[in-house]
Amino acid sequence: MAYTDDAVKAKLSSLNETQESIVSVAQWIMFHRRHADRTCAIWLERMRETTVNKRLTLIYLANEVVQQSKARRKDDFLVAFSPVIAEATATAYKGATNDVQEKIRRTVEVWSQRRIFDKPIQEAVEGRIMELDKSRSGKKTGLLGGSLFSGGSSTAPAPSELQAIIPLQVAVSKANASSSPALSSANTEFDKLTDADKPTPSPPVYAARLSALLKSLSSAESAVAESIRIRQDLINGLEDLVASNQAALKKEQSQLTTTTERRETVERKKREVEDAIMSGKSTSSTPSPATDGTSQTNGRTTSSAEPERPQVEELTPPPTDSLTPTHSPNVPANQDPLVPNSNFDQNDINQPFQHPPTRPSPQPISSIPLPLEHLPPPQPSSFDPRYAASLPSDPRHGASSPAKKRKLDAEFDGFGAGEDAMAGLDDDVAELLRAESGGMV
């Protein structure tokens, strides 16, 4: 079947909810992908004119066409459906039963998961459905316990600064979805009517076609003008947002400069205090306290005078004279005793050493002369040869050899020879010695 508007409308009229019907019509439409824009415009017109129950089938047909085009990497119908898909989906969703709306939401969720359309187009489709839900029940119905199109995960609310931008962006998407089909249809009709290769129709037919083209161009012009106006409002809102952010940026830059200077000041002060601590200097740069022992801090007077330190008795070593022996040479206090004194007088060495005066020692009792009648009987002396001969020889010392005896006699031959051994002694002492020696002395 050749491609004509009537052929497209006939295919769409014969469409039903069975899979075979949807796949068959989708293949015929994709075969004529050169007319993708015209097919999408007719599809949108059919969506607006048909009943509520028939619209779900048209959504399934668009779903089959765009997914097959995405899989085959043929972007003709993706580009053609993008301007009209938001309006068509909203048309099919509005007034449908809960069961039909649930199926449409599921189809839109599949588009989001598989990224069939670009992000702005997908957001426009979801935004239109969300608006319809809010206007009907005042709350958004979720899918599988989650949000509408986020795969069951909750969506964080938009910041307050973007609350004024979101409606403008949604309006721009709506205006674009309305102006694109009208503009595409007007351009197609204009190309057909002004094609030089085609014969010019009769004047009445030609006038009627020109009137229809004029209406199409006027409709497209109005749609594009409305889209420009809404987009300008969006740009103004974005400029206000940018201006507020620029003012905030300047303020933050000033705060950053101030904070950096303060940090550097504190770091420099910290290094000075640490250097003062290491060098034993004062760790404080505050003014010196007042003369009365008080200091001013934050408007309050605080005492800063330190108590006097207690008097501690010095540990003075004793004078060197007390440690110097008597009659020792005097050494100056600053003179090292181990170092020779250059001022030492040699005459001090020649002076005789004078002993300190001592008390006379007590006389032994044995030296006191006693009367003869009181003397003890004489005992044999160890010096007596007779007594010495009667003693046994000491085995430790051994017997005296004759040679040793002769040597001793030779050394002391002249000792006491011709002299009285008792000369110069007291008479009593001499008598006592003679009695002890048996008259040998």
Side-chain angles (χ1 to χ4, degrees):
M1 180 184 296
Y3 182 86
T4 60
D5 293 352
D6 296 336
V8 177
K9 293 178 181 179
K11 288 290 185 180
L12 296 178
S13 298
S14 63
L15 186 65
N16 55 54
E17 296 182 358
T18 61
Q19 184 177 2
E20 292 78 4
S21 176
I22 294 173
V23 172
S24 176
V25 175
Q27 290 179 353
W28 185 87
I29 291 176
M30 294 178 64
F31 180 78
H32 299 282
R33 64 178 181 272
R34 294 179 299 174
H35 308 282
D37 294 338
R38 184 57 185 169
T39 302
C40 290
I42 296 173
W43 176 82
L44 181 58
E45 292 177 1
R46 182 67 178 175
M47 180 71 71
R48 294 169 179 171
E49 297 172 356
T50 190
T51 60
V52 176
N53 297 330
K54 192 71 173 182
R55 291 171 181 173
L56 180 59
T57 307
L58 294 176
I59 292 294
Y60 285 161
L61 176 63
N63 177 64
E64 180 68 19
V65 173
V66 295
Q67 290 208 45
Q68 290 295 330
S69 300
K70 187 75 172 181
R72 299 177 184 181
R73 297 183 179 179
K74 302 294 183 181
D75 299 338
D76 301 29
F77 282 99
L78 293 175
V79 175
F81 272 109
S82 294
V84 302
I85 192 65
E87 181 182 355
T89 305
T91 302
Y93 191 83
K94 185 178 181 180
T97 61
N98 293 334
D99 186 27
V100 173
Q101 289 181 349
E102 186 69 24
K103 293 178 180 179
I104 293 176
R105 285 200 299 268
R106 177 58 184 169
T107 303
V108 175
E109 185 181 7
V110 171
W111 295 345
S112 177
Q113 293 175 353
R114 300 183 181 182
R115 298 180 182 180
I116 301 299
F117 297 101
D118 295 338
K119 187 175 181 180
I121 304 301
Q122 183 68 32
E123 291 177 353
V125 174
E126 295 176 0
R128 296 291 293 271
I129 295 178
M130 292 171 63
E131 288 180 358
L132 293 174
D133 289 338
K134 290 179 180 179
S135 62
R136 184 183 63 176
S137 59
K139 61 180 181 179
K140 181 178 67 175
T141 58
L143 178 64
L144 300 179
S147 64
L148 188 59
F149 303 111
S150 60
S153 60
S154 59
T155 303
S160 59
E161 295 80 3
L162 299 179
Q163 294 295 334
I165 304 299
I166 293 176
L168 296 176
Q169 181 62 51
V170 174
V172 168
S173 301
K174 291 180 181 180
N176 188 28
S178 300
S179 62
S180 295
L183 184 61
S184 178
S185 177
N187 291 333
T188 301
E189 292 179 3
F190 179 81
D191 292 338
K192 288 181 179 180
L193 191 59
T194 59
D195 190 1
D197 296 336
K198 294 182 180 181
T200 303
S202 60
V205 175
Y206 192 60
R209 291 183 179 180
L210 288 176
S211 298
L213 178 60
L214 184 60
K215 291 180 181 180
S216 298
L217 290 175
S218 298
S219 177
E221 181 183 8
S222 300
V224 173
E226 182 66 16
S227 178
I228 291 174
R229 184 188 65 80
I230 297 176
R231 194 175 297 276
Q232 187 63 43
D233 294 340
L234 175 62
I235 293 174
N236 294 335
L238 292 174
E239 289 178 352
D240 294 341
L241 181 61
V242 171
S244 62
N245 280 275
Q246 287 179 348
L249 177 62
K250 292 181 180 180
K251 181 178 179 181
E252 291 175 351
Q253 289 176 346
S254 177
Q255 293 174 350
L256 176 62
T257 303
T258 303
T259 305
T260 303
E261 293 177 355
R262 291 180 178 179
R263 179 184 58 81
E264 293 176 353
T265 302
V266 173
E267 287 182 352
R268 184 169 57 255
K269 185 64 178 178
K270 177 176 175 291
R271 287 193 298 268
E272 293 176 358
V273 173
E274 290 177 349
D275 294 342
I277 293 175
M278 296 301 296
S279 59
K281 297 180 180 179
S282 175
T283 60
S284 175
S285 60
T286 56
S288 59
T291 56
D292 58 352
T294 60
S295 61
Q296 202 76 12
T297 304
N298 295 332
R300 295 178 298 176
T301 302
T302 57
S303 176
S304 60
E306 296 182 358
E308 296 182 358
R309 296 184 178 181
Q311 296 294 334
V312 181
E313 182 180 359
E314 297 182 357
L315 300 178
T316 305
T320 55
D321 295 342
S322 62
L323 302 178
T324 305
T326 307
H327 299 285
S328 297
N330 294 327
V331 181
N334 58 351
Q335 174 67 29
D336 190 353
L338 300 180
V339 179
N341 188 3
S342 59
N343 298 325
F344 186 78
D345 190 359
Q346 186 66 25
N347 296 327
D348 294 340
I349 302 177
N350 300 327
Q351 295 295 331
F353 180 75
Q354 298 179 0
H355 292 280
T358 58
R359 292 179 295 177
S361 59
Q363 187 176 3
I365 298 177
S366 59
S367 61
I368 300 176
L370 297 176
L372 294 178
E373 60 270 14
H374 296 287
L375 294 176
Q379 298 293 334
S381 176
S382 59
F383 297 99
D384 190 355
R386 294 171 297 176
Y387 178 74
S390 64
L391 296 176
S393 61
D394 191 354
R396 294 176 297 176
H397 299 283
S400 299
S401 60
K404 183 175 182 180
K405 186 176 181 181
R406 287 194 302 270
K407 183 177 179 180
L408 293 175
D409 294 341
E411 291 180 356
F412 300 99
D413 278 342
F415 183 77
E419 296 180 4
D420 186 3
M422 300 297 177
L425 297 179
D426 187 76
D427 295 338
D428 295 333
V429 175
E431 185 65 25
L432 179 61
L433 293 177
R434 289 188 182 97
E436 291 181 356
S437 61
M440 296 184 64
V441 180

